[in-house]
Amino acid sequence: MGWALPLPQRASVLVGWVAVAATAVTDAISLVPAVHFAYYAPGLHISLETTAALAAGLASYLALGRFRRSGLLSDVFLASALLLMALASIAAGLVPSSPESQTAIVYMWLAAGAGVTAAAVFAVASLLQTRRVHDVARAERRA
């Protein structure tokens, strides 16, 4: 007895069922008022956003090094998207200092906009054909 599907399709089915189960558990936790899944901890939030910003900044630096070696246009877009993710994490880390103030609202929208822009740049980087940049130094300055 075994699965009737080949291995790649079997894995896709398994991932799909795990996603459905995780969604059901998340919905159940959010709809039951007696269960408190999250709590207010601005110090923890700031440290997590700082860690995310440092990781994205390091990954951006590594992607820039990859661009310098390969000269591919998709690599410079990847480095730019990772840098935007780092900036979005920095902006999100500024929000918990005073969530009710006007500047917190600006930082919140700045983080959301930078995250959406980074996602769009990631999508563009994945769709680019394998194309080399002629002047790598000029592309680095413009990125």
Side-chain angles (χ1 to χ4, degrees), residues 99-134:
E100 291 84 24
S101 70
Q102 288 296 103
T103 56
I105 294 170
V106 171
Y107 287 135
M108 186 171 49
W109 281 106
L110 180 66
V116 168
T117 306
V121 175
F122 270 125
V124 168
S126 71
L127 297 175
L128 287 175
Q129 298 291 329
T130 304
R131 183 175 155 208
R132 294 204 178 273
V133 175
H134 297 294

Side-chain angles (χ1 to χ4, degrees), residues 19-97:
V20 168
T23 302
V25 169
T26 303
D27 289 344
I29 288 173
S30 67
L31 294 176
V32 176
V35 178
H36 297 287
F37 188 66
Y39 55 91
Y40 183 71
L44 178 64
H45 182 77
I46 290 171
S47 65
L48 288 175
E49 292 298 334
T50 302
T51 304
L54 290 173
L58 177 63
S60 175
Y61 182 70
L62 292 173
L64 183 63
R66 178 178 163 169
F67 166 70
R68 287 180 178 164
R69 293 186 70 148
S70 69
L72 294 176
L73 187 61
S74 60
D75 288 340
V76 76
F77 271 79
L78 178 64
S80 299
L82 288 167
L83 185 61
L84 279 171
M85 289 299 287
L87 294 175
S89 292
I90 290 170
L94 296 174
V95 173
S97 58

